[in-house]
Amino acid sequence: MIFINELIKAFCKRTTIAIFAVLLILNGVLLYINETKQTLEYTPEQYKAAYQTLEGLDTHAAFKQISQKKTELELIQRLSFGEDISQENCNAEELLKSYKNKDYLEFTNDIYPEIELTDRLFEEISVCENYDSYLENIDSTARKM
């Protein structure tokens, strides 16, 4: 009973209540700063829109689509730097037309955020694509042990 009374006495002091209030306000401020800070080049809405285009596809089809988009964006970026991409297996004229019209931008308004978003999607979907081999690797390791 003495322990409970001491806790009540400690937590009912003005300084303790003030400290908790300041910590609560500081937590809210830090949460707001972290949520509004633009560390990514793309917004969560753009990320959701990109995933919605892949919705309904199986993993292999989504991986194929996103890797094709990634390759196209890399070629367009090289084209924007003035590199010669005629050696690649691509339609350079079509890519140049797409670059001039900015048709390659599906989710963002610039090539760099589009590339970053596509790379992120590629990484996530490649993990899903390789999940079966990952599980097989675990099974083979377990059998060896």
Side-chain angles (χ1 to χ4, degrees):
M1 192 70 178
I2 294 175
F3 181 70
I4 295 173
N5 288 335
E6 289 298 320
L7 283 177
I8 292 172
K9 198 166 44 168
F11 284 109
C12 289
K13 286 187 177 183
R14 287 186 182 145
T15 55
T16 307
I17 294 171
I19 288 172
F20 279 120
V22 168
L23 289 175
L24 185 67
I25 291 170
L26 182 63
N27 187 26
V29 168
L30 290 175
L31 181 64
Y32 175 76
I33 288 172
N34 284 337
E35 288 297 317
T36 58
K37 185 171 60 172
Q38 294 294 325
T39 57
L40 296 173
E41 295 287 328
Y42 52 87
T43 64
E45 290 79 22
Q46 293 166 336
Y47 180 79
K48 289 177 188 174
Y51 254 108
Q52 285 176 350
T53 61
L54 301 173
E55 192 173 336
L57 297 175
D58 66 331
T59 307
H60 184 69
F63 181 75
K64 186 177 178 181
Q65 182 177 338
I66 204 69
S67 62
Q68 188 177 27
K69 171 83 171 164
K70 183 178 187 306
T71 305
E72 177 186 322
L73 285 173
E74 288 170 354
L75 289 172
I76 288 174
Q77 184 180 28
R78 287 177 50 197
L79 188 64
S80 72
F81 290 144
E83 290 184 32
D84 182 26
I85 60 168
S86 61
Q87 305 296 332
E88 304 292 329
N89 281 347
C90 66
N91 188 352
E93 292 84 23
E94 187 69 31
L95 286 175
L96 183 61
K97 181 181 173 187
S98 176
Y99 173 67
K100 287 181 180 177
N101 296 335
K102 293 195 174 194
D103 294 336
Y104 58 92
L105 299 175
E106 286 184 55
F107 311 110
T108 63
N109 56 2
D110 193 28
I111 191 166
Y112 299 111
E114 191 82 21
I115 289 173
E116 186 177 330
L117 177 61
T118 306
D119 286 344
R120 171 98 183 256
L121 291 174
F122 180 79
E123 290 172 11
E124 292 174 0
I125 294 173
S126 66
V127 168
C128 295
E129 177 73 12
N130 299 324
Y131 188 67
D132 290 335
S133 64
Y134 169 73
L135 291 178
E136 290 172 7
N137 188 21
I138 289 175
D139 287 340
S140 68
T141 305
R143 281 190 294 267
K144 288 177 185 176
M145 288 181 164

